Amino acid sequence: MAVERVATAHSPRGETVLSRREDGTLELRVNGVFVMDTAHTASERALARNALDAFHGSPGSARDGTRVLIGGLGLGFTLHEVLGYSEVASVVVSEIEPAVVEWFLQGLVPEIAADRHDDRVTLDTAEITESVSAQRDSTLDVLLLDVDNGPGYLVRSENASVYGTGFLRQCRDKLAPGGLLAVWSASPAPELTEAVREVFGSVEQRAVPVTLGSLETEYHLYTGRIGAN
């Protein structure tokens, strides 16, 4: 299948490419490694839905004014799903690659192009660790981590620290009472389970069925909550 390069960018982390296949599907690759495409967005959407539904479904949490931070913009479908919740008042999106942010602002992904005009969104071109550190303590309600496909499928080796107790404690400190951290993983991650449990006192691991074209598979969501017993 022929592939057209829509945009290419280079940064200290390497080459980022946005391509279009013959069928119109857009595809994002980093240093030649497939990251995501517009044909299969179920996992990105499921991350947002499962996390926000869990937060709003807990006692005392179903309220307007929900403040969200997303680690990873990608092609924008996690953000798109989050913006579909009227309870959401603000979203900070952390994305390390300036080109990915610029392509979003240019509207190169038609399905989510209107989201660039949503005044609830703040784009932070920075490492996720820097974006989280910049937040005031106890100010976030939901923190979604989707910078990789989990600790077993790192886009960059440096991201390994994102799944350790040190960074997870920073995330905990930024969450308001009742706040929820959600980490997405393409496969079971026992070490992540233990790290979230150590930091939050408990962890919920949920297998999430996802349909990717004709493939039926399962992804995994790990959540920790402030005040959980």
Side-chain angles (χ1 to χ4, degrees):
M1 180 180 291
V3 175
E4 169 200 358
R5 283 202 176 199
V6 176
T8 302
H10 294 86
S11 76
R13 291 160 297 281
E15 181 184 64
T16 303
V17 177
L18 182 66
S19 301
R20 181 181 291 109
R21 302 174 194 155
E22 282 185 346
D23 62 2
T25 297
L26 290 170
E27 176 183 289
L28 184 66
R29 286 181 178 266
V30 176
N31 292 326
V33 177
F34 175 82
V35 177
M36 62 189 64
D37 62 27
T38 56
H40 305 118
T41 63
S43 63
E44 292 93 335
R45 296 174 186 270
L47 166 61
R49 284 197 306 272
N50 278 270
L52 285 168
D53 288 349
F55 173 72
H56 290 129
S58 64
S61 296
R63 61 180 187 273
D64 291 339
T66 301
R67 301 153 297 180
V68 181
L69 188 149
I70 302 173
L73 173 60
L75 292 176
F77 287 92
T78 299
L79 170 62
H80 182 73
E81 201 71 20
V82 167
L83 294 175
Y85 284 74
S86 60
E87 301 93 338
V88 170
S90 64
V91 189
V92 175
V93 184
S94 174
E95 171 57 53
I96 191 173
E97 293 297 342
V100 171
V101 173
E102 184 59 30
W103 297 340
F104 171 77
L105 293 174
Q106 291 173 2
L108 294 186
V109 183
E111 297 95 323
I112 53 90
D115 295 342
R116 60 192 166 143
H117 302 302
D118 195 310
D119 60 11
R120 292 176 291 172
V121 179
T122 299
L123 298 171
D124 188 16
T125 308
E127 289 265 14
I128 180 60
T129 53
E130 296 171 356
S131 295
V132 168
S133 179
Q135 306 303 309
R136 288 180 291 131
D137 286 356
S138 305
T139 58
L140 296 173
D141 296 304
V142 179
L143 206 165
L144 308 179
L145 294 182
D146 191 24
V147 293
D148 307 284
N149 272 326
Y153 300 91
L154 302 178
V155 175
R156 300 187 307 120
S157 59
E158 294 88 342
N159 288 350
S161 63
V162 169
Y163 305 97
T165 55
F167 179 64
L168 295 179
R169 287 192 183 95
Q170 290 184 45
C171 293
R172 179 198 61 195
D173 292 344
K174 305 305 177 182
L175 291 169
L180 180 140
L181 168 75
V183 187
W184 193 245
S185 180
S187 62
E191 291 183 359
L192 175 61
T193 301
E194 293 310 310
V196 175
R197 179 181 288 115
E198 179 178 337
V199 172
F200 286 87
S202 67
V203 59
E204 179 182 350
Q205 177 185 356
R206 182 183 307 174
V208 181
V210 174
T211 301
L212 302 174
S214 60
L215 176 66
E216 299 285 339
T217 188
E218 256 185 7
Y219 280 60
H220 300 268
L221 186 68
Y222 297 84
T223 58
R225 187 187 295 271
I226 297 294
N229 296 318

